[in-house]
Amino acid sequence: GDGSVAYVPQGNSCFPWLRAEENVAYGLKLRGVGRRERAERARDLLKSLGLEQFSRAFPGQLSEGMRQRVAIARAFAVEAPLLLMDEPLSALDFQTKIAVQAELVDLWRDRRCTVLYVTHDIDEALTLADRVSVLSARPGRVALTAEVPFARPRHQAGLREQPGYAAAFRKLYEAIEG
């Protein structure tokens, strides 16, 4: 395609034979971006995600959270205007998930693209999104679309203390339950 979409799937999507920096730069290489610029952009993104010292590591040497950070960096590296993310944090433990959520929000804030983020986690949706759509069961239709009523910056750790949190959560939960 024309590179207008980047994608982060659920689970491990790193190429095991490429080092972290090479994984991040992969899409740039496909686009013909020069070696120096690829390396610079990859290092910058790895630094943003706290992986600077792991740039030469292979995915098998990284934790699951680190591998997901590499996949997220690879998607942001190509600077596509639309980023699709399919439950990219679902395999992570709670503490790692919270940390990567914050890093993801920072990357989005700095690089501004549209992100379509699929999750089954209501707290995650309320933390990351500006707008949440709930899909019905088959056939999948939009059952509800709601604006997230909380100002940025926001982090999941303090979200439940926000006024209106219980009502926002309940509205989404009831839409999911149908």
Side-chain angles (χ1 to χ4, degrees):
D2 64 1
S4 60
V5 177
Y7 176 61
V8 180
Q10 182 177 1
N12 185 9
S13 65
C14 292
F15 300 116
W17 60 89
L18 296 178
R19 297 178 189 277
E21 184 178 306
E22 296 164 330
N23 263 285
V24 173
Y26 185 76
L28 297 172
K29 183 176 182 178
L30 293 178
R31 290 187 177 184
V33 174
R35 183 176 302 194
R36 183 176 290 128
E37 184 180 346
R38 287 194 316 257
E40 187 176 305
R41 279 162 77 176
R43 279 194 295 270
D44 179 53
L45 281 160
L46 288 170
K47 184 176 182 179
S48 295
L49 290 164
L51 294 175
E52 187 175 24
Q53 66 274 31
F54 297 98
S55 66
R56 304 292 299 153
F58 287 100
Q61 298 170 304
L62 302 174
S63 70
E64 184 68 29
M66 291 172 165
R67 287 191 296 269
Q68 266 322 85
R69 286 175 169 101
V70 169
I72 289 167
R74 182 177 57 223
F76 274 99
V78 296
E79 298 177 348
L82 177 60
L83 176 54
L84 305 176
M85 303 184 91
D86 182 10
E87 296 194 82
L89 310 182
S90 63
L92 304 182
D93 64 78
F94 182 75
Q95 287 178 300
T96 304
K97 181 186 275 195
I98 297 300
V100 177
Q101 283 177 355
E103 293 163 351
L104 183 57
V105 168
D106 290 344
L107 274 176
W108 172 80
R109 183 196 62 226
D110 295 342
R111 288 168 169 74
R112 289 295 188 184
C113 61
T114 298
V115 178
L116 180 62
Y117 191 102
V118 175
T119 183
H120 288 89
D121 184 327
I122 295 173
D123 283 322
E124 187 168 68
L126 291 172
T127 300
L128 297 177
D130 292 322
R131 186 176 319 119
V132 176
S133 292
V134 175
L135 301 181
S136 68
R138 292 189 184 112
R141 301 206 192 299
V142 176
L144 169 78
T145 297
E147 300 294 320
V148 175
F150 311 114
R152 291 193 182 277
R154 64 181 101 102
H155 298 284
Q156 189 169 338
L159 188 65
R160 292 178 182 170
E161 299 166 10
Q162 295 290 320
Y165 167 81
F169 187 98
R170 185 171 33 264
K171 182 178 183 179
L172 295 175
Y173 182 81
E174 289 171 356
I176 291 167
E177 290 298 300

